[in-house]
Amino acid sequence: MEIRESTETDVPQLRLLEERCFADPWSSKSLRDTLREEHCFFLSAVENGRICGYLNTTYVLDELDIHRVCVLPEYRRMGVGTALLDYMMVFCRQHGFTEVFLEVRKSNLQAQRLYRRFGFEVVGERADFYQHPTEPGYVMRADLSKAAEA
């Protein structure tokens, strides 16, 4: 599996992942617009020419926000999410980011376990943050400045 930065030519495959993985999939236009943002870091996990997962973020100053982590169901529990997060964390350290934030469904225990392995902790809860079905979301934060000091 290869982890690489996503490009606009990936949008059709990214859109298919959105449709398979999320109740509220982003449109091709939203994906393309995100890829064009100046402060965007968008990764694809590719296996045999097929995008099997992706992660997208935006950043400002020393803070990075993860917007989507997506892995096709048939590739889950195979290290795709871990590989994407590993690559992103290297990027964060190389560029001096000190904090990383994300939101996760309160019911998504598997994702929460993965994020905790990367040093994320729950720092808040947002009522009715997610739709289809409606449920709260946790705000999670990784403090990379602590990791740099260790």
Side-chain angles (χ1 to χ4, degrees):
M1 178 179 49
E2 172 194 11
I3 305 296
R4 62 165 172 77
E5 290 192 41
S6 305
T7 67
E8 285 193 46
T9 60
D10 295 327
V11 168
Q13 284 192 70
L14 297 171
R15 175 70 177 136
L16 290 174
L17 266 79
E18 282 282 325
E19 290 173 359
R20 292 215 32 221
C21 297
F22 295 113
D24 59 343
W26 285 7
S27 67
S28 295
K29 180 185 181 325
S30 293
L31 290 162
R32 199 171 289 105
D33 288 348
T34 301
L35 278 164
R36 291 176 180 164
E37 286 183 28
E38 182 180 350
H39 298 284
C40 168
F41 186 61
F42 207 130
L43 295 172
S44 289
V46 182
E47 180 74 31
N48 298 320
R50 179 183 189 198
I51 297 176
C52 57
Y54 83 82
L55 175 147
N56 84 56
T57 72
T58 55
Y59 53 89
V60 176
L61 301 173
D62 64 345
E63 182 181 305
L64 184 130
D65 292 297
I66 298 174
H67 298 287
R68 295 281 221 202
V69 178
C70 179
V71 177
L72 287 172
E74 61 269 29
Y75 285 90
R76 292 181 185 157
R77 298 185 162 272
M78 297 175 69
V80 176
T82 298
L84 288 164
L85 285 164
D86 274 337
Y87 196 105
M88 183 212 65
M89 290 302 232
V90 169
F91 174 82
C92 287
R93 289 184 180 92
Q94 289 173 340
H95 291 85
F97 295 110
T98 59
E99 295 181 298
V100 181
F101 289 90
L102 60 84
E103 286 91 11
V104 61
R105 283 184 181 270
K106 193 171 181 177
S107 65
N108 193 345
L109 301 178
Q110 184 177 344
Q112 290 173 41
R113 280 191 296 274
L114 173 64
Y115 300 142
R116 282 183 189 2
R117 287 195 351 241
F118 283 87
F120 285 87
E121 299 174 338
V122 173
V123 294
E125 185 174 329
R126 295 187 176 162
D128 301 332
F129 185 73
Y130 290 96
Q131 305 300 311
H132 313 295
T134 300
E135 76 174 281
Y138 285 137
V139 177
M140 297 185 80
R141 173 182 175 258
D143 182 350
L144 301 183
S145 65
K146 286 196 295 191
E149 295 169 3

